Amino acid sequence: MSDFYFLLLPVILLVAVVVIYNGIIGKFNAVDRAWASVLTQERQKNKIIPHVEKLVEEYKLHESSVLADVTRLRNSIDELGKQSSAAPDTVRLAEAERHTASLLQGLKVAVEAYPELKASDLYMKLMAEISEQQEQIGAALRIFNRNVEEFNNAIQMFPGSLVNSLLNHKQPVQSFTDAEAQDGFDYKPNL
Amino acid sequence: MTHNQQVSANITRLKEKIEAATSQHDLVATIRSLEHHPGPLDYKDKPWQVIGLLFMGLGGLALYSVFSRSLPYEFDYFLSVVLFYSQYWLPVAIVVFWQLWREEKGKAGFLSRYFKTPQQRMAVAAGIPMIVVLMPFWGLVYWEGLQILTLLVSGGGFASYELGLPLLLLVTGGIVCWRLYQRKHWRRPLSERISLLDILFNNGLKALPFNGKEKAKELGQQFKEFIRGNDLREIQHLYQGHYEGELHRFDYRLYRFHYVVRRSETYTDSKGNTRTRVVRNSYYRHGLLLHFPFSRGLSLNAGSGISFSGEKYTTASNEFNRVFSVRADEEIVAARFLSPAVIEAMLAMAAEYSRPVLEINAGGDLCFAFSNDDILEHKRTYNLESPVEFASEIAKHDELEKLNGLLFQIHNLMRLTDNNFQL
């Protein structure tokens, strides 16, 4: 009987190692997928650009900064598409987010000069779409950060830390933080 | 008309007025009418209480006599005679009291078709069992019947006419006492009915006419949610409402679904024999039905008991994947529907509702179902026992916060899945 347990123990250990190893791989891939989802949502902004251009054309907003903001946003979305490494490029994403905020600001300024624009159907739909896209990106980032937390826990907590150091060799992933928003706080957590 | 018959007639009139109410104002007026009601509104049940207690007392004594056999000889002899002759007096007493009870309620039954006066009906109700108990076969039927009763109550464990008789007396006395308690407190269920009608008026809900089993069958052809259990399936409540959201407006139906799971259970009886018996467990589900034109052929299942067909889909969220199992006619349908914001919205709904299932069929109709039983919950402090306070309570506008919250969440799903440029 004791021989049976003696043989069973290594089998159980091997199964446990395989499960933990695969778990780490699975969680890493989930982080990768969640980041891809963030980028997909960011690229959805391409959808709004033709509508903004139509708005500029209809209401002759050529003298405003809206067109320049549109160009900058388009470029930053293109840059996101050229990302070469698999690691999340949070800097480029933050840049695209800044240009979105700038475009929104530009549209708000334009509305002040063109009151009829504010009441237009296209403007309202555009603002609803932009606001919804921002909501989607916020949600995608929260999902990404939750997956990052799960992955980091998996490789830093025992026994995952042991399996990772011996077999997986994965590095912790940084969760997404908005540097600009962080600058607004005096408090910085000592992480 | 006797006192109790007058009470029954007054309560019936009150119920009719409540059911005929078309607004909150009608309900309040009906409640206020009770303040100065000429009456009578309370039953005089002393004789019935005595009958109920007599039955229970006799049953208790008979049971005591079976197990202890320590009653004084004379008393025990007298009890044995009473119980022995129960084959004659008990059926007559039960039928006579039953008819008397129905006469009081104003529901004289089929006898009223042939006999016009209560005296005639009472005479017939007493006469028929008298003739039956004098038949030669009656003794056998009666005592065998008591044995079968113990067999049924014990789940096939034992059969004994000695125990069957006390059991019959206790059950009969218990039923009489329970019915007396119910009719003494007739105001409570009526108050609940008024509260429900009030909440329906306040929230723009309208009760729909339907046949419970047929409706469940019809819905079962549209949604898998209604193919639960292996026995009874029925819709118990069905209300229609309308929601005006910031972007979308829609009609919806709110339902309560009852289903039964039947299974065989093995047990060991008192003699150590292994037996099987059929056990039925009831379950209840609630939900919303509405048209959802922004997706079709999709199911998100965080419950158990049903499985959906179609292609399996997992999202980018580990948390969501642990809670929901997603199936769709085509993967692209699920990918389009489950945007990050929708994933978060669904996780919030899963945290709020028990075993939620969201199903959108091929026709674009949505069913969101869950096991929580509080969607129509409305707490009241007063009831018809204090009509003044109850009327003031009913006169207030009372929103169904949980239903409104759910409708808001469904509207949010619409907002997140529609096309803003095609609105």
Side-chain angles (χ1 to χ4, degrees):
Chain A
M1 200 62 169
S2 60
D3 286 351
F4 173 73
Y5 287 119
F6 189 73
L7 285 170
L8 193 66
L9 196 66
V11 174
I12 291 171
L13 268 175
L14 185 70
V15 170
V17 167
V18 170
V19 168
I20 294 167
Y21 179 87
N22 286 344
I24 290 171
I25 300 286
K27 286 186 172 83
F28 181 78
N29 290 342
V31 170
D32 187 41
R33 188 178 170 190
W35 181 248
S37 168
V38 173
L39 296 185
T40 307
Q41 291 305 323
E42 192 63 37
R43 283 193 205 109
Q44 287 287 310
K45 284 182 181 160
N46 274 323
K47 224 167 91 179
I48 58 167
I49 289 173
H51 294 286
V52 177
E53 285 171 340
K54 193 177 164 195
L55 204 72
V56 169
E57 193 63 38
E58 268 183 32
Y59 291 89
K60 315 274 186 256
L61 306 176
H62 302 293
E63 75 280 14
S64 73
S65 66
V66 173
L67 269 182
D69 287 331
V70 165
T71 310
R72 278 196 289 270
L73 178 62
R74 184 181 274 136
N75 288 340
S76 57
I77 293 170
D78 286 348
E79 285 301 309
L80 273 173
K82 288 173 192 162
Q83 192 178 322
S84 54
S85 79
D89 188 348
T90 53
V91 178
R92 281 180 180 170
L93 179 71
E95 195 181 314
E97 285 294 279
R98 263 201 310 281
H99 290 143
T100 310
S102 172
L103 174 62
L104 263 173
Q105 191 57 36
L107 279 170
K108 278 177 189 162
V109 170
V111 161
E112 296 304 319
Y114 300 85
E116 73 277 21
L117 172 64
K118 197 175 185 177
S120 77
D121 189 43
L122 183 59
Y123 177 78
M124 284 196 286
K125 283 174 177 173
L126 196 61
M127 292 314 274
E129 179 66 23
I130 293 173
S131 143
E132 207 173 295
Q133 283 186 0
Q134 291 302 93
E135 193 181 337
Q136 294 284 10
I137 288 164
L141 283 169
R142 283 191 292 275
I143 290 169
F144 168 73
N145 282 347
R146 275 199 290 269
N147 286 6
V148 165
E149 184 192 349
E150 277 189 28
F151 169 71
N152 288 348
N153 284 344
I155 62 166
Q156 288 173 338
M157 286 177 172
F158 184 83
S161 55
L162 191 68
V163 174
N164 184 55
S165 64
L166 290 172
L167 302 168
N168 297 85
H169 308 297
K170 295 281 184 199
Q171 296 301 312
V173 178
Q174 269 212 320
S175 48
F176 179 84
T177 48
D178 188 339
E180 212 168 284
Q182 208 168 41
D183 288 345
F185 292 101
D186 290 336
Y187 171 77
K188 300 260 183 310
N190 53 339
L191 292 170
Chain B
M1 208 184 247
T2 65
H3 174 89
N4 280 358
Q5 281 173 333
Q6 282 177 34
V7 175
S8 285
N10 285 338
I11 294 171
T12 306
R13 268 196 294 276
L14 198 61
K15 281 182 183 169
E16 283 166 0
K17 273 175 88 177
I18 288 164
E19 290 306 321
T22 52
S23 66
Q24 189 184 47
H25 182 262
D26 292 347
L27 291 176
V28 173
T30 309
I31 300 166
R32 292 219 163 111
S33 73
L34 283 180
E35 284 174 49
H36 309 290
H37 197 284
L41 289 171
D42 290 292
Y43 291 100
K44 285 182 181 167
D45 279 336
K46 279 276 179 326
W48 284 111
Q49 284 168 5
V50 171
I51 291 166
L53 291 174
L54 260 177
F55 271 75
M56 287 188 77
L58 198 57
L61 272 174
L63 203 64
Y64 182 74
S65 143
V66 170
F67 285 109
S68 79
R69 301 195 186 278
S70 64
L71 289 170
Y73 174 76
E74 290 77 8
F75 187 77
D76 197 33
Y77 177 76
F78 175 71
L79 188 65
S80 307
V81 171
V82 170
L83 295 180
F84 177 77
Y85 287 104
S86 69
Q87 73 176 66
Y88 301 113
W89 64 262
L90 188 56
V92 178
I94 289 175
V95 176
V96 166
F97 291 145
W98 172 246
Q99 185 60 31
L100 200 59
W101 179 273
R102 290 179 68 82
E103 290 288 345
E104 263 195 23
K105 299 269 289 177
K107 294 172 185 169
F110 76 97
L111 288 178
S112 59
R113 272 188 250 158
Y114 310 103
F115 304 98
K116 295 293 166 210
T117 66
Q119 289 80 0
Q120 287 173 339
R121 290 193 290 266
M122 287 307 300
V124 173
I128 293 172
M130 272 182 192
I131 295 166
V132 173
V133 298
L134 291 173
M135 297 281 181
F137 62 85
W138 175 248
L140 187 70
V141 171
Y142 179 75
W143 296 108
E144 283 294 321
L146 290 178
Q147 290 207 53
I148 292 168
L149 180 69
T150 54
L151 204 66
L152 288 174
V153 170
S154 67
F158 61 88
S160 157
Y161 65 83
E162 259 193 321
L163 284 174
L165 183 55
L167 200 66
L168 179 65
L169 289 166
L170 284 170
V171 168
T172 312
I175 290 171
V176 170
C177 291
W178 171 242
R179 295 291 295 154
L180 290 178
Y181 176 84
Q182 276 187 321
R183 81 174 190 175
K184 186 183 176 188
H185 298 102
W186 62 267
R187 288 175 177 86
R188 289 179 194 171
L190 203 56
S191 306
E192 278 170 26
R193 179 71 187 151
I194 292 172
S195 281
L196 177 68
L197 290 173
D198 176 54
I199 214 83
L200 297 181
F201 290 141
N202 277 330
N203 292 273
L205 290 167
K206 191 181 154 198
L208 294 173
F210 64 97
N211 176 302
K213 286 180 192 166
E214 279 174 21
K215 196 72 197 172
K217 198 174 169 188
E218 181 195 320
L219 289 169
Q221 285 162 357
Q222 296 173 40
F223 299 103
K224 280 221 167 149
E225 166 61 28
F226 296 93
I227 309 177
R228 289 177 178 274
N230 53 1
D231 200 88
L232 175 70
R233 289 173 191 147
E234 60 173 352
I235 296 294
Q236 291 187 323
H237 299 155
L238 191 63
Y239 304 114
Q240 177 148 28
H242 181 78
Y243 184 75
E244 289 277 341
E246 206 176 306
L247 290 173
H248 302 278
R249 58 184 68 173
F250 53 88
D251 289 324
Y252 64 89
R253 284 174 293 162
L254 179 71
Y255 68 84
R256 185 185 205 226
F257 173 52
H258 170 221
Y259 69 95
V260 174
V261 176
R262 188 186 66 241
R263 62 191 167 83
S264 291
E265 193 179 76
T266 310
Y267 72 102
T268 310
D269 67 12
S270 56
K271 290 172 188 162
N273 301 318
T274 306
R275 291 169 175 272
T276 53
R277 64 182 160 207
V278 175
V279 180
R280 286 181 173 81
N281 294 111
S282 279
Y283 298 92
Y284 300 89
R285 300 271 293 169
H286 293 75
L288 281 185
L289 299 163
L290 55 114
H291 188 59
F292 192 90
F294 310 112
S295 189
R296 54 187 62 201
L298 176 72
S299 66
L300 314 180
N301 181 8
S304 56
I306 43 168
S307 55
F308 292 91
S309 55
E311 288 186 45
K312 199 173 176 184
Y313 181 80
T314 52
T315 67
S317 165
N318 290 338
E319 195 184 351
F320 180 89
N321 296 338
R322 279 193 294 270
V323 176
F324 285 100
S325 154
V326 181
R327 295 275 179 169
D329 289 350
E330 291 171 59
E331 212 175 329
I332 189 74
V333 171
R336 272 195 197 129
F337 182 81
L338 288 165
S339 63
V342 168
I343 288 172
E344 286 204 324
M346 288 308 302
L347 280 172
M349 287 168 96
E352 198 170 332
Y353 301 99
S354 162
R355 296 166 62 210
V357 171
L358 186 139
E359 194 180 347
I360 307 171
N361 66 16
D365 290 317
L366 177 145
C367 170
F368 180 73
F370 46 87
S371 296
N372 308 53
D373 203 9
D374 55 0
I375 197 80
L376 285 176
E377 193 179 73
H378 47 286
K379 288 201 171 78
R380 300 278 183 213
T381 315
Y382 301 101
N383 60 26
L384 284 172
E385 281 164 15
S386 34
V388 180
E389 290 85 354
F390 189 48
S392 319
E393 203 173 22
I394 289 292
K396 287 178 194 159
H397 187 77
D398 212 348
E399 290 277 333
L400 283 171
E401 282 173 21
K402 288 195 173 156
L403 176 64
N404 287 342
L406 174 60
L407 291 166
F408 179 79
Q409 284 165 317
I410 296 288
H411 179 267
N412 195 34
L413 290 181
M414 286 183 170
R415 181 181 68 81
L416 293 169
T417 48
D418 63 8
N419 183 340
N420 289 322
F421 294 108
Q422 282 179 1
L423 279 176

